[in-house]
Amino acid sequence: MAQTSKKMQIVFASAECAPFVKTGGLGDVAGSLPAALVRAGAEVIVMVPKYATIKDEYKAQMEHFADFYVSLSWRNEYCGLEKLEHDGVTYMFVDNEHYFARDYPYGFFDDGERFAFFSKAITESLQHLPEGFECDILHCNDWQTALAPVFLREFYQGLPLYDRVKTVFSIHNVAFQGQFSDTVMEDILGMAHIPAAATQLRCDACSINYMLGALHYADAITTVSPTYAGEIQTPEFGEGLDGVLRERSYALQGILNGIDVVGFDPATDKRIAANYTVDDRAGKAVCKAKLQEELGLEIRDDRPLMVMVTRLTRQKGMDLVMYALDRILSGGVQVAVLGTGDRDYEDGLRYFQGKYPGTMAARIEFDPALSQRMYAAADMFLMPSKFEPCGLSQIIAMRYGTLPIVRETGGLKDTVQPYNEFTGEGTGFSFSHFNGDEMGDAVFRAARLFWDNRKAWDQLVTQAMSQDFSWTRSADKYLDLYFFMHPEIERPVAVEAAAAVEEPVAVEAAAAVEEPVAAEAEPAAPVKEPAAAEEPKAEEKPADDGEVKPTAKPAAKKTTTRKTTAKKATTAKAATSKTTTARATTTRKRTTAAAKKAVEAEAAPEVKTEATAEATTAEAKTAAKAPAKTAAKKTTATKTATAKKATATKSPATKAATTKAASKTAPKAAAKPAVKVEEAPSEPKAEAAVEAKPATKTTTRKRATTTAKKATTKTAAPKAEAKAKDKPAVKAEPEPKAAEVKTAPKATVKTEPAKKAPVSPAAPAEEKAPTKKTSVRKATATRKRR
């Protein structure tokens, strides 16, 4: 399927959306995720009911865009679309005063009818969007929009505009499903005559379930944390929908929520008493003192302040709080709670406030500004939920340097890493079971760390504040899902991703310009290196060991550096090539004509790859020692056998052998070098100079090849053990009485018993002549003795 370059176009439907209307986490998600999707390159329209509670300043900015009628069973209801651009996102407000001109978004007797209308209006509105906007993804959230995928499939499927629309349904809290009497099926939805819809919406004999319909009809299902996605497939957390969720588990995934990191930023937040950052947290102490004063608590910095900003319900763990609060307050921990909910919990908090004045504060109200001051001022944030799809409060608390104490469930488990006293890792504290004593223990683990080890506490706060909970990561995962459902749309490269790719390139280019100077000043290149290094393309260069290695390897040799430069820095490549050529020329001048001949004879393709200097020489030096020392203790006949075995191992170190000998030994040599390539990468300079010498010695030995094969006396042992047939042994260590080879820092062949200082790497040419003569004298002496 051919891909098109059009942008992904998404309609995001939600019953609430910050900053226009918000009652919980759904409003935060709808207010942040679409903006993150737009930044990632998508086009998004957010559809929200036009509630009467929306502030007049926003209503004044709305522009009437379209109006039409929506059929709802026997009804024909007016629907207007009011358009508003805010922070780069297009919002479409569904206008119908009969349904939405009320003081609060939910909680009315006709909610089933109100949000059935909203769902039908969403699907109908896809025909009335701005020119050029053809919906690819309809993303619905919670039960208030759950009927949109049902309506789209049953009433609109087959229309050209709707054929391309894929539906995604997000569960923010499976406990709220939208269950209503089955009379709604015909009187409001008008679907009683459609067997498939009637079956898939019905949850029991006399009621239907809006969310159940979405779970059956949506193309993909998401929820707000990976752990919660697994939990809702169990009877304990599935709220009766676990069966259908298990059936459709292949279409279900959990994507963790984020937060608006700009809006929740202690460095710039104007709602708190003093600003602070992760590096300078002096302002947090000011915030704590001001909040203690505001709430009537004792102004003390030596007592940990623990807060809760929550709905006062069983789901939020208020049963555990009521059970353990007496123990916590009497133990020296200050507590402040903000929220509304069940009357029993409200009265219980007031009781403890009266019993522990100066230590306990209860604010039974809804106050967003006070909640922000509490996030910033507290030391600990308590969130012992019975279940929690994702939870934003604990994330906001960490953003403000307040350590969360949570139960390990849903998103709380995914976002809070429990403190490990042995390693210091963690971002908060947690407990496993829904148990009041276990919760109390977790609170006092945190309090003891605050009292006894302030350094570890401060480090934990730093780790919590450093977490990345922005929407960028979450939006990327939603886009993965959208593009999976529309493979024909080409995914654009995000700006952030492009920057991430460019940055290492710049670093590598800079390193490539600087590294060759140091790297190439070290080894004196062997004769064959320039040819071997220049043959491969920029995508793939042989490393020093003859293997192909990735460019990104940190300690790059000259070849690896050249690869990086060829890809990302042409100028650096030119400089590197010039330097390499100059080094190769200098090395060739030091080599005699005979050596060049031998090199050319050895340049077979399968052997040539193995000719890289540093690793090959290092392998031969390491592998030669053990056989040489063992052979020195044996008889002449034993040495001959040992030398023959050693030939296959040591032949890579003596590449420049005669043409005849090379044809016999090269296949064996090719099998070994890659195994011991990286044994001695630290002596390139000394060994590179030695590599140029075997060719010269071998040319001289060609004249006495037949006789030398039989000669394996102690005088010839060092060479016979390196290669019995070729005799170009350069790095073998002989017995003390025979000629010695020293490799500190470079292998040097010696024929005199008296010790000699090793030849300097700077003067390899002076060593070659005596080496040739010595080899001839050794062969002659052997023949005479025999």
Side-chain angles (χ1 to χ4, degrees):
M1 184 183 294
Q3 287 191 324
T4 61
S5 57
K6 77 181 285 290
K7 287 187 175 183
M8 181 67 70
Q9 296 177 318
I10 304 155
V11 172
F12 192 92
S14 174
E16 56 185 85
C17 176
F20 311 108
V21 57
K22 171 187 166 183
T23 63
L26 174 60
D28 288 315
V29 173
S32 302
L33 177 56
L37 294 172
V38 169
R39 289 194 296 270
E43 289 185 18
V44 184
I45 291 178
V46 182
M47 302 200 72
V48 191
K50 185 182 177 183
Y51 297 108
T53 54
I54 296 175
K55 292 181 180 179
D56 291 337
E57 62 179 286
Y58 295 123
K59 289 181 180 178
Q61 300 173 33
M62 294 179 187
E63 169 193 351
H64 183 73
F65 182 76
D67 55 74
F68 46 89
Y69 283 86
V70 174
S71 61
L72 203 63
S73 187
W74 52 267
R75 302 166 185 77
N76 212 26
E77 297 288 347
Y78 167 84
C79 177
L81 293 181
E82 306 292 326
K83 182 180 176 183
L84 172 64
E85 299 282 345
H86 182 73
D87 289 343
V89 181
T90 300
Y91 294 88
M92 289 287 186
F93 292 89
V94 175
D95 181 25
N96 181 299
E97 294 189 355
H98 171 65
Y99 290 129
F100 302 127
R102 307 189 186 186
D103 296 334
Y104 198 74
Y106 321 119
F108 299 95
F109 73 98
D110 59 346
D111 276 356
E113 181 180 338
R114 295 171 68 223
F115 291 105
F117 166 79
F118 181 49
S119 295
K120 190 71 176 289
I122 291 167
T123 53
E124 186 71 25
S125 295
L126 300 185
Q127 304 174 58
H128 303 277
L129 298 178
E131 186 177 355
F133 193 102
E134 295 183 359
C135 178
D136 299 307
I137 299 290
L138 174 58
H139 191 150
C140 303
N141 295 269
D142 266 354
W143 72 267
Q144 295 91 346
T145 59
L147 288 177
V150 182
F151 286 136
L152 188 146
R153 180 76 61 82
E154 297 297 350
F155 295 147
Y156 297 87
Q157 193 76 29
L159 298 177
L161 180 67
Y162 291 87
D163 277 347
R164 67 177 296 103
V165 179
K166 301 293 184 183
T167 54
V168 177
F169 180 70
S170 289
I171 303 171
H172 294 265
N173 192 334
V174 77
F176 302 98
Q177 302 173 4
Q179 294 187 24
F180 302 97
S181 167
D182 62 351
T183 58
V184 170
M185 180 69 73
E186 180 57 31
D187 186 57
I188 296 174
L189 308 186
M191 288 186 173
H193 65 287
I194 305 175
T199 302
Q200 295 181 87
L201 282 168
R202 186 176 298 279
C203 59
D204 58 41
C206 58
S207 59
I208 63 170
N209 186 316
Y210 286 11
M211 183 177 285
L212 180 62
L215 297 182
H216 281 298
Y217 279 83
D219 295 306
I221 306 167
T222 71
T223 189
V224 291
S225 73
T227 299
Y228 191 62
E231 288 178 344
I232 60 178
Q233 296 180 56
T234 65
E236 182 182 1
F237 294 98
E239 300 288 343
L241 297 180
D242 54 288
V244 67
L245 287 167
R246 286 195 299 274
E247 288 174 13
R248 299 217 62 202
S249 60
Y250 63 90
L252 171 65
Q253 67 171 303
I255 301 176
L256 199 63
N257 280 344
I259 61 170
D260 179 6
V261 293
V262 176
F264 295 105
D265 187 356
T268 58
D269 195 340
K270 296 180 180 178
R271 297 166 290 183
I272 62 179
N275 295 118
Y276 55 93
T277 64
V278 64
D279 298 318
D280 180 9
R281 297 197 287 269
K284 188 169 178 65
V286 176
C287 292
K288 180 177 180 179
K290 290 286 187 182
L291 183 69
Q292 286 173 327
E293 181 181 4
E294 178 183 355
L295 298 180
L297 301 174
E298 296 180 11
I299 303 176
R300 296 177 58 174
D301 61 0
D302 62 335
R303 299 186 69 179
L305 173 60
M306 183 175 72
V307 302
M308 292 183 71
V309 178
T310 182
R311 295 195 315 271
L312 305 180
T313 63
R314 175 175 168 76
Q315 183 227 319
K316 293 298 182 180
M318 289 306 298
D319 286 347
L320 308 188
V321 175
M322 293 295 106
Y323 174 83
L325 199 52
D326 211 353
R327 172 190 170 193
I328 292 170
L329 292 170
S330 61
V333 178
Q334 290 184 332
V335 178
V337 181
L338 171 66
T340 60
D342 295 348
R343 174 62 67 87
D344 290 344
Y345 300 132
E346 292 180 352
D347 292 342
L349 292 174
R350 292 190 183 100
Y351 164 78
F352 283 112
Q353 178 178 242
K355 183 176 180 181
Y356 293 95
T359 302
M360 171 71 193
R363 292 292 180 269
I364 312 302
E365 57 184 310
F366 178 74
D367 189 340
L370 176 57
S371 70
Q372 210 66 19
R373 295 195 295 274
M374 292 172 73
Y375 284 127
D379 299 301
M380 303 180 294
F381 187 90
L382 181 61
M383 200 167 179
S385 303
K386 182 175 178 62
F387 65 91
E388 193 66 55
C390 176
L392 297 179
S393 296
Q394 81 281 8
I395 300 176
I396 298 170
M398 285 189 280
R399 177 76 171 153
Y400 282 82
T402 299
L403 299 183
I405 302 171
V406 301
R407 191 174 93 81
E408 295 172 1
T409 183
L412 300 180
K413 183 176 181 179
D414 292 331
T415 54
V416 178
Q417 181 184 3
Y419 171 64
N420 185 322
E421 63 180 310
F422 302 104
T423 65
E425 296 175 320
T427 56
F429 302 85
S430 66
F431 61 100
S432 299
H433 301 98
F434 194 68
N435 178 283
D437 289 321
E438 210 169 311
M439 186 199 79
D441 292 342
V443 170
F444 281 106
R445 280 202 306 274
R448 280 194 295 271
L449 188 68
F450 178 89
W451 284 317
D452 301 338
N453 193 344
R454 189 59 67 91
K455 182 178 179 181
W457 176 273
D458 290 339
Q459 179 60 32
L460 203 57
V461 172
T462 299
Q463 291 164 191
M465 294 184 73
S466 302
Q467 298 299 301
D468 177 18
F469 289 113
S470 67
W471 272 106
T472 304
R473 176 181 56 183
S474 302
D476 191 60
K477 291 185 178 180
Y478 278 109
L479 284 174
D480 287 342
L481 174 62
Y482 299 158
F483 281 102
F484 174 77
M485 299 169 75
H486 276 287
E488 77 281 2
I489 302 178
E490 183 180 356
R491 183 166 185 172
V493 179
V495 177
E496 293 85 355
V501 172
E502 293 289 340
E503 192 173 346
V505 170
V507 174
E508 287 177 11
V513 174
E514 294 177 7
E515 260 188 62
V517 179
E520 296 178 18
E522 278 186 3
V527 175
K528 289 185 272 186
E529 166 123 3
E534 290 168 11
E535 282 178 2
K537 296 180 181 178
E539 288 83 23
E540 216 173 53
K541 291 224 176 224
D544 294 319
D545 53 3
E547 295 179 355
V548 176
K549 292 196 174 182
T551 308
K553 191 165 183 177
K557 302 287 182 185
K558 57 178 184 280
T559 307
T560 307
T561 305
R562 198 177 301 122
K563 172 187 167 186
T564 306
T565 311
K567 279 186 177 180
K568 308 298 179 184
T570 307
T571 306
K573 178 180 178 180
T576 306
S577 299
K578 289 177 183 177
T579 308
T580 307
T581 305
R583 289 170 48 243
T585 305
T586 304
T587 307
R588 288 192 191 99
K589 285 179 181 178
R590 296 173 183 164
T591 309
T592 63
K596 292 182 182 177
K597 266 189 177 182
V599 169
E600 290 171 5
E602 273 297 298
E606 65 274 9
V607 181
K608 194 171 183 179
T609 311
E610 312 295 336
T612 343
E614 293 90 350
T616 306
T617 308
E619 187 271 343
K621 181 177 70 175
T622 306
K625 290 181 181 179
K629 290 178 181 178
T630 305
K633 300 176 184 177
K634 295 182 181 178
T635 62
T636 304
T638 308
K639 290 177 183 174
T640 304
T642 306
K644 288 180 180 179
K645 289 182 182 178
T647 302
T649 307
K650 298 167 187 68
S651 56
T654 57
K655 279 288 183 69
T658 60
T659 307
K660 181 178 178 181
S663 65
K664 296 179 181 179
T665 59
K668 293 180 182 179
K672 290 281 181 180
V675 180
K676 297 185 180 181
V677 163
E678 299 171 347
E679 288 188 9
S682 60
E683 297 182 10
K685 183 172 181 180
E687 293 156 9
V690 176
E691 188 68 27
K693 288 181 271 188
T696 307
K697 299 173 186 174
T698 307
T699 306
T700 305
R701 295 190 188 103
K702 282 173 65 178
R703 301 167 188 169
T705 303
T706 307
T707 309
K709 284 180 183 177
K710 301 175 183 179
T712 54
T713 60
K714 290 184 180 180
T715 306
K719 296 171 182 57
E721 284 164 333
K723 209 170 199 182
K725 297 178 183 179
D726 309 345
K727 295 194 193 58
V730 179
K731 300 183 178 69
E733 282 192 19
E735 60 190 30
K737 296 179 181 179
E740 295 180 12
V741 177
K742 294 192 175 182
T743 56
K746 175 176 70 175
T748 307
V749 179
K750 295 190 177 183
T751 56
E752 300 298 329
K755 292 188 178 179
K756 226 183 210 182
V759 179
S760 169
E766 287 77 7
E767 186 189 353
K768 292 174 184 172
T771 304
K772 292 197 292 182
K773 293 176 183 178
T774 302
S775 302
V776 175
R777 284 198 295 270
K778 287 177 184 176
T780 305
T782 302
R783 287 197 296 274
K784 286 180 181 180
R785 279 195 290 272
R786 292 182 65 84

